[in-house]
Amino acid sequence: CRVPTFENADCLRYRGAIFTGAIMFKALLLEKSESGFKASIQPVDDAGLPPGDVTIRVEHSTLNYKDGLAITNKSPVVRTWPMVAGIDGAGTVIESSHAAWKPGDKVIHNGWGVGETRWGCLAERARLMGDWLVPLPAAFSTEQAMAIGTAGYTAMLCVMALERHGVKPGDGEVLVTGATGGVGSVAIAVLGRLGYRVTAATGKRNEADYLRGLGALTVIDRAELGSPGKPLQKERWAAVVDAVGSHTLVNALAQTRYGGVVAACGLAQGFDLPATVMPFILRGVTLAGVDSVMAPIAARREAWARLAVDLDAAKLAAITGVVPLSDAIAKAHDLMQGKVRGRIAVRI
């Protein structure tokens, strides 16, 4: 602990030594100026970290759809510049003034505006609020937790929403849209393990075997749902997990059976909802909105506890790719071009 390098900085703090040198760490930094937008991996000073009562050494992060939008500058996700990207992180607490956490604890962070309004977790360090964190389940490594990430945790929130509204495995088919994406892949794996009859909607016909391997019994072309349709259509779905929005969500609602439930959590096709009230007032269909960013901590803990039980580790491995931080920008571009299936964990 005598040499003030980055690796020794925490050790010096623990020993009560005075360390006045800047602590530099690598991060995926997003910058915008008059000259344009730039995303790069570069060293940043820990003096730039936002206020918070817990600092973690990030071991793994991930690339969600929102991260892809931010890193490729496809949408105004970032509200403050410069910004360290990454809405998710898993790692080890190195400093804490929060009563619930101490150095050495393994934790998970999802959402709460991180990577949008305050520096995120695609970096070697992150300073967060202790009230936002959940403990890493013993069943998962930090890599597995980030293979799940916000997308997988959102999928679990959707499953919980269906259950809360009384949907049971014997009720009929459950449609999952955006099936090869992160939310869709985890939703299929969880629903399949719980005994639901899952139909997967995808535009990637060559991924049918992949989806069946996760637990889908039937695979349909997303084109069946992606264009304007009738306000009421033939009843088919007992429930739906939708990460797509727009016409896909509208058609899913129009095809949902009497008393069915649709959990909506995404907008991959669009944020519009060109629908009618017909499914709601004539078939008693429930549209349940699912938010992961500001979800209460109790719901988060329940979702992660459920994932530790209801998500098969072998199926999680089948949907997961792992890249180093140095490849995250290129992989974000692949994600936005539809070249990624399942989940991407980022090794920090």
Side-chain angles (χ1 to χ4, degrees), residues 221-237:
D221 193 322
R222 70 182 180 194
E224 295 182 29
L225 300 164
S227 300
K230 295 180 179 180
L232 283 179
Q233 301 171 33
K234 182 179 179 181
E235 295 180 59
R236 182 168 183 182
W237 320 115

Side-chain angles (χ1 to χ4, degrees), residues 15-208:
R15 291 168 66 97
I18 296 173
F19 178 72
T20 58
I23 299 175
M24 306 298 291
F25 61 95
K26 286 188 296 185
L28 199 168
L29 190 67
L30 308 179
E31 300 171 278
K32 182 175 278 189
S33 64
E34 292 181 359
S35 59
F37 171 83
K38 178 183 178 183
S40 62
I41 308 295
Q42 59 177 282
V44 297
D45 190 333
D46 112 323
L49 288 170
D53 49 17
V54 178
T55 303
I56 70 169
R57 177 178 291 116
V58 184
E59 296 168 19
H60 287 87
S61 184
T62 184
L63 290 171
N64 297 291
Y65 185 72
K66 185 178 288 185
D67 297 311
L69 290 172
I71 293 168
T72 61
N73 198 33
K74 296 289 186 183
S75 181
V77 170
V78 176
R79 316 289 176 79
T80 306
W81 304 92
M83 177 58 60
V84 173
I87 68 174
D88 288 347
T92 304
V93 174
I94 53 177
E95 291 181 5
S96 174
S97 59
H98 191 283
W101 308 107
K102 64 183 185 303
D105 287 343
K106 295 285 190 178
V107 296
I108 299 171
H109 176 275
N110 303 111
W112 297 112
V114 168
E116 301 175 68
T117 59
R118 55 184 287 141
W119 281 15
C121 298
L122 279 165
E124 292 175 322
R125 285 189 167 211
R127 185 166 295 138
L128 306 163
M129 303 303 295
D131 288 345
W132 297 344
L133 303 173
V134 298
L136 177 73
F140 296 135
S141 66
T142 56
E143 179 182 302
Q144 289 173 311
M146 290 296 95
I148 296 167
T150 281
Y153 139 71
T154 302
M156 191 70 240
L157 290 176
C158 289
V159 173
M160 289 162 53
L162 300 185
E163 292 175 339
R164 190 164 58 248
H165 286 88
V167 179
K168 299 179 180 61
D171 289 345
E173 290 181 89
V174 178
L175 172 68
V176 176
T177 67
T180 61
V183 173
S185 293
V186 176
I188 292 168
V190 171
L191 289 166
R193 181 161 181 158
L194 292 173
Y196 289 88
R197 293 163 50 203
V198 180
T199 294
T202 180
K204 301 176 181 178
R205 296 182 182 180
N206 60 330
E207 298 288 13

